[in-house]
Amino acid sequence: MLVQLQYLRAVAALMVVYFHAILQLAKVNPALDATAFVYGETGVDIFFVLSGLVMWLTTSGRAMSPIDFARRRIKRIVPLYWLATLFSAVVALVAPSLLKSTVFDLPHLIASLLFLPWANPADPSTITPVVVPGWTLNYEMFFYLIFALLLPLSETRRIPAMFAVFAVILIACRLLSETTATRFYGEPIILEFLAGVVLGWLYRQKMLLPNRWAWAALAMGFAFLFINEALMRPESRFYAWGIPAIFIVYGAVSIDFSRLPVLAWLNYLGDCSYSIYITHAFTLAFLRVAADRLPIGIFKQPVLFVVLALVLSSIGGAIIHEITTPRRKVAVTSRPPA
């Protein structure tokens, strides 16, 4: 695994945790206006570009059937997500006051387990599953399905075919009558996966940026991601947030990290990023309940609340990762194999 990808996974996960922690502050301390500090939603865009890149790198030059690919992805994604979803559903059923964005609804639960887009009964204007951050996994699994179906094609035809499939999907969703599915899959955010696949192809062809330009692309990507998140609404994210995310990922994979020391803790958080992403909503819910019910004023201090959210979400994600992930050694490198 490329160490820089591990770093980006960790950073993207913590960006999302920070974003949701700031949103929770309004519930913990209604008198506080933290809107000026709402950043980090764009971590999702980094994840999507990374996903396309990693899928290409892990399948390029290898004979892998769609069934084998699907089995690997299901093994990686489904167990923890289903556990989190069922746990949330039980809490929503027996202690609904503990949750603010989830109510128990059987059709919604089934759709969530099947990774199907469904209007959230707690807020019908949103298309989110029982575990709200899992909306990204609905896109991920849709992308995996398309990617798996195109695996029998030769690599030279696979990317053009992917372009065609995504174009057909986006056009069809615009032309068909509006439904939950057409609204969800018609979002151009799915193009970020395709951009990641193209970056994966460039990487395998060793068409990388020079080291100096790579660092510049990485820095500019994060700078514009920060600026655009403040200035541009989520409706324009596929270009306002997606393009900076592409710069970030392309810059990162182009950098030669072999001369730099490996940051073991950040590399480890990259391993735990999926668990952090799935479980951080529970950590934040715990902090919110603690702030409401415990006579400890420090929970309502904004900086401390956010720091606790980041630290406890990382620890909780790491614990779940250790419990749910088989022990195996992963070689860390910064360049493709010869």
Side-chain angles (χ1 to χ4, degrees):
M1 177 60 66
L2 297 171
V3 68
Q4 53 265 57
L5 300 189
Q6 293 289 86
Y7 294 168
L8 283 183
R9 281 173 165 169
V11 169
L14 294 178
M15 286 171 65
V16 175
V17 174
Y18 172 84
F19 171 73
H20 287 138
I22 295 296
L23 294 183
Q24 286 285 356
L25 279 176
K27 301 173 183 178
V28 172
N29 191 347
L32 178 69
D33 182 9
T35 53
F37 302 96
V38 178
Y39 289 97
E41 188 177 4
T42 48
V44 168
D45 301 87
I46 296 176
F47 269 130
F48 281 5
V49 178
L50 276 174
S51 182
L53 170 74
V54 172
M55 291 308 99
W56 184 265
L57 294 184
T58 54
T59 57
S60 177
R62 301 176 59 187
M64 185 178 296
S65 69
I67 297 298
D68 189 34
F69 175 85
R71 183 170 59 248
R72 291 169 182 262
R73 291 294 89 203
I74 290 172
K75 184 178 179 181
R76 160 75 172 164
I77 299 296
V78 169
L80 177 58
Y81 183 65
W82 276 10
L83 182 63
T85 297
L86 292 173
F87 177 76
S88 296
V90 170
V91 173
L93 182 62
V94 302
S97 62
L98 295 178
L99 302 177
K100 300 296 184 182
S101 57
T102 300
V103 296
F104 184 83
D105 179 80
L106 185 58
H108 185 224
L109 172 60
I110 295 173
S112 298
L113 293 173
L114 296 177
F115 299 94
L116 298 175
W118 201 271
N120 192 327
D123 182 4
S125 66
T126 63
I127 304 174
T128 53
V130 172
V131 178
V132 173
W135 67 267
T136 63
L137 295 184
N138 289 349
Y139 279 120
E140 287 275 359
M141 297 301 277
F142 184 65
F143 165 64
Y144 293 156
L145 174 63
I146 295 172
F147 195 92
L149 293 176
L150 295 179
L151 277 175
L153 297 178
S154 65
E155 291 187 15
T156 56
R157 296 180 179 179
R158 202 175 298 162
I159 293 180
M162 210 170 298
F163 269 94
V165 170
F166 276 106
V168 169
I169 290 170
L170 291 176
I171 293 171
C173 288
R174 289 291 186 270
L175 296 178
L176 296 173
S177 58
E178 184 174 295
T179 64
T180 299
T182 57
R183 282 174 55 202
F184 189 78
Y185 295 123
E187 287 294 331
I189 192 174
I190 63 176
L191 296 176
E192 293 176 357
F193 295 109
L194 184 55
V197 170
V198 172
L199 292 184
W201 180 83
L202 291 173
Y203 184 85
R204 292 293 294 181
Q205 299 299 315
K206 300 185 179 180
M207 299 170 64
L208 304 175
L209 297 171
N211 212 51
R212 183 180 303 176
W213 288 103
W215 281 107
L218 183 65
M220 286 193 303
F222 272 112
F224 277 100
L225 203 63
F226 182 82
I227 294 170
N228 288 356
E229 188 169 359
L231 299 179
M232 309 291 284
R233 294 182 59 80
E235 289 79 3
S236 58
R237 73 184 302 162
F238 82 98
Y239 63 88
W241 302 355
I243 292 176
I246 293 168
F247 271 75
I248 289 169
V249 176
Y250 192 31
V253 297
S254 298
I255 294 171
D256 183 4
F257 273 81
S258 62
R259 300 178 182 179
L260 301 175
V262 174
L263 301 176
W265 64 274
L266 193 58
N267 180 57
Y268 179 68
L269 286 182
D271 279 337
C272 303
S273 59
Y274 176 62
S275 297
I276 293 172
Y277 184 82
I278 294 299
T279 62
H280 79 275
F282 302 104
T283 303
L284 294 181
F286 165 78
L287 286 175
R288 174 175 52 78
V289 172
D292 289 341
R293 301 189 179 184
L294 295 180
I296 304 176
I298 58 174
F299 279 110
K300 296 189 178 182
Q301 297 299 318
V303 174
L304 182 59
F305 181 87
V306 172
V307 170
L308 281 173
L310 291 169
V311 172
L312 294 181
S313 294
S314 298
I315 293 174
I319 292 173
I320 296 299
H321 172 76
E322 291 295 327
I323 293 173
T324 60
T325 305
R327 302 290 295 183
R328 62 189 180 92
K329 293 184 178 181
V330 178
V332 174
T333 182
S334 63
R335 287 292 173 188

